[in-house]
Amino acid sequence: MAPVWAQSGKVGASGLPLPRFVSFRAVEVNLRSGPGVRYPILWVFQRRGLPVEIVDEFDTWRQIRDAGGTTGWVHQSMLQGRRSVLVQGQGEQILRKQPGLGAAPVARLEPGVVARLDHCTDENWCRVEVQSFSGWLPRDTFYGTYQNEIYE
């Protein structure tokens, strides 16, 4: 099944699909109320690699939504196409050697850990990398992909 953004058919001013996931390029990113430096700063993110969703575009500005649903505008230079995920949930998530709940554990990840997205092969599991560890996480344990998205 095609990812949500491919199904929507919506394309931004950049020619890229909307919505789509990206991550922060910089350690410090200002979230503004509108697309320009004259708009007030609503929030300052301080987390390089954090996944966010681009939901709209205006000139060199991107309207983003974070894992908590907060939206605002950031300059495109603060974003990169490299995909990452944010571990969520009430407790530790187990990174597994293979996709499947019975697979051997590789590491335990606390909520809030940011991992690099390697690929998603089906609707339930994605391979991620965290520091020197790599393995598989169930898609419902993190933010940063669309349901049924195949990512390679």
Side-chain angles (χ1 to χ4, degrees):
M1 177 175 255
V4 172
W5 55 262
Q7 292 174 353
S8 75
K10 186 173 179 185
V11 176
S14 66
L16 296 171
L18 291 175
R20 68 182 180 277
F21 281 102
V22 295
S23 61
F24 287 148
R25 176 188 311 273
V27 173
E28 192 170 282
V29 178
N30 293 332
L31 184 72
R32 296 184 177 272
S33 63
V37 293
R38 70 182 183 279
Y39 291 93
I41 296 171
L42 302 172
W43 187 260
V44 179
F45 287 97
Q46 296 183 331
R47 188 98 185 259
R48 174 184 251 164
L50 190 70
V52 293
E53 185 180 26
I54 296 177
V55 296
D56 202 0
E57 299 178 349
F58 178 78
D59 195 27
T60 59
W61 292 84
R62 304 297 180 254
Q63 186 179 38
I64 63 163
R65 178 173 37 231
D66 72 3
T70 300
T71 61
W73 293 85
V74 300
H75 192 269
Q76 69 180 6
S77 66
M78 298 292 107
L79 304 170
Q80 62 184 350
R82 174 178 279 170
R83 297 278 298 271
S84 62
V85 298
L86 177 66
V87 176
Q88 296 185 313
Q90 298 300 318
E92 294 177 329
Q93 302 298 333
I94 300 173
L95 186 66
R96 299 196 179 269
K97 189 171 185 170
Q98 300 293 328
L101 294 177
V106 173
R108 295 180 185 277
L109 306 178
E110 295 284 336
V113 166
V114 173
R116 188 178 74 77
L117 181 63
D118 185 38
H119 65 277
C120 301
T121 57
D122 64 28
E123 63 188 51
N124 297 318
W125 292 87
C126 294
R127 185 171 174 82
V128 302
E129 296 177 5
V130 181
Q131 295 175 357
S132 62
F133 299 99
S134 63
W136 296 84
L137 282 175
R139 194 184 297 261
D140 63 357
T141 63
F142 60 82
Y143 169 82
T145 65
Y146 297 107
Q147 183 179 2
N148 299 325
E149 177 184 10
I150 302 298
Y151 176 76
E152 297 175 344

